[in-house]
Structures are given as C-alpha cells and as structure tokens.
C-alpha cells in the first residue's frame, strides 16, 4: 500500500506555493512566539488566580458575599493581567504595525512607517532599570520628531537568552515593513 504523503520522492510543484486558506494577511499576527519568561510569569499568575478563586468560593460559603465578591474581582484582575501579559509584543498585518504594551497599544499604518531597523545599543534587561548591551528593533515614523520607538530587544521577556529567535523575529518584522511599507 503506497503512502504518497510519507515519501520524499515527490516533485516540488510551483502550485504548492499558493497561500493557505487560513493565511489571511489582514489579521493581526505576532511574527514570533512568546518567550519562556513571559509564558512562565503568566502561568504563575494564572496559578495564583486559581488559588484566589478557590478562596473566593470558600469565603462565599462561610462569610459575607460582599467580601467574596471583592476576592473574586481580585482574581479577575490577576487573570486579566496575565492575559494582557501574554498579548504584549509586536503585531503585524497588511494594515500596519502594532506595538502592544501592558497598558498601552500603539498602531502605525504602513504609510506612517519610515524605517524598521535593528541597531546595537544598551537595552533594559527584562524591562528592569538595569541596562545591558544588546540589539533593539526600532521603528522610525514618517515626520516623527519624537525619535524612533523601540519595538523589541534581545533582552526583553520574549527573547532573553534566545538571540536566534530575536534575529528571526526582527527579520520577519523588517520583511513585513519592506513588503507593505511606503515605496
């Protein structure tokens, strides 16, 4: 019984290079996976939220409902913070580039983007005040007098200890800017 999907002797056809049906360029997508530090902190926060939710159930069963509601609201706040932490990063689509921070989200259409480049400079380690030598992906806006915006670094929660992943992600964002940016 031949299994053609397992053989390596198929001839590559140019028709295989068509985009997949789910490859919608208008959807916002992160061109890299979240790093282990970000995922680990979010997982610990969700674990903490599960204990707080359990405490809310115990408080609701034994004490006043208002105190249980306060503890339940605290658990929802921790869950929302963990989900926002996982959402942070650089997102791209055919419409533009989006930089999602913990409290802010900034979107620039491709017409506003003057340059996306990788530079060697001191960067903050895991967002803390300590600066180390690393690389940063900078966004330059058209007519922007405020200076370039730092999108991601080799020492943020997604790429600390993963220099190759930073290079792939920076190359991917730069390729999106090259493809969709102003000519």
């Amino acid at each position: 019984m031949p299994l053609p999907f397992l053989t390596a002797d198929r001839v590559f056809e140019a028709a295989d290079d068509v985009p997949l049906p789910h490859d919608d360029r208008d959807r916002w997508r992160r061109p890299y996976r979240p790093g282990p530090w970000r995922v680990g902190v979010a997982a610990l926060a969700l674990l903490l939220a599960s204990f707080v939710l359990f405490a809310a159930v115990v408080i609701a069963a034994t004490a006043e409902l208002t105190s249980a509601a306060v503890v339940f609201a605290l658990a929802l706040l921790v869950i929302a913070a963990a989900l926002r932490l996982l959402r942070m990063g650089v997102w791209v689509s055919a419409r533009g580039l989006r930089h999602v921070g913990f409290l802010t989200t900034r979107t620039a259409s491709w017409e506003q983007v003057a340059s996306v480049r990788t530079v060697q400079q001191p960067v903050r380690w895991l967002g803390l005040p300590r600066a180390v030598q690393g690389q940063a992906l900078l966004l330059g806006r058209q007519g922007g007098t405020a200076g370039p915006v730092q999108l991601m670094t080799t020492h943020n929660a997604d790429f600390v200890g993963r220099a190759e992943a930073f290079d792939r992600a920076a190359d991917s964002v730069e390729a999106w800017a090259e493809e969709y940016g102003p000519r």
Side-chain angles (χ1 to χ4, degrees), residues 7-174:
T7 61
D9 58 351
R10 284 190 336 156
V11 177
F12 177 76
E13 298 175 12
D16 289 344
D17 199 24
V18 297
L20 298 172
H22 65 273
D23 191 23
D24 185 12
R25 305 289 272 181
D26 289 329
R27 286 188 62 206
W28 290 102
R29 68 183 69 210
R30 185 184 350 223
Y32 57 91
R33 290 184 299 194
W37 283 86
R38 185 176 309 283
V39 172
V41 169
L44 288 175
L46 290 173
L47 182 65
L48 173 69
S50 70
F51 287 122
V52 174
L53 283 172
F54 182 70
V57 169
V58 169
I59 291 171
T62 60
E64 296 180 13
L65 290 179
T66 57
S67 58
V70 169
V71 174
F72 183 72
L74 177 67
L76 289 179
L77 184 68
V78 171
I79 291 170
L83 293 177
R84 186 64 182 186
L85 184 68
L86 288 174
R87 188 101 173 114
M88 289 173 56
V90 177
W91 297 75
V92 291
S93 79
R95 293 176 286 188
L97 186 134
R98 181 173 285 172
H99 183 241
V100 178
F102 190 73
L103 296 175
T104 61
T105 299
R106 287 173 278 180
T107 303
S109 66
W110 290 118
E111 290 79 27
Q112 296 172 338
V113 174
S115 67
V116 176
R117 66 186 188 284
T118 305
V119 296
Q120 187 84 17
Q121 69 179 29
V123 296
R124 295 185 345 177
W125 183 75
L126 291 176
L128 299 172
R130 179 178 175 222
V132 296
Q133 192 64 27
Q135 291 182 338
L137 184 69
L138 299 179
L139 166 70
R141 292 183 183 234
Q142 300 252 357
T145 58
V149 176
Q150 185 171 301
L151 296 175
M152 57 187 177
T153 69
T154 53
H155 290 81
N156 68 4
D158 288 323
F159 302 111
V160 68
R162 299 177 14 178
E164 301 85 20
F166 173 80
D167 292 337
R168 284 192 308 270
D171 290 344
S172 177
V173 173
E174 288 171 353

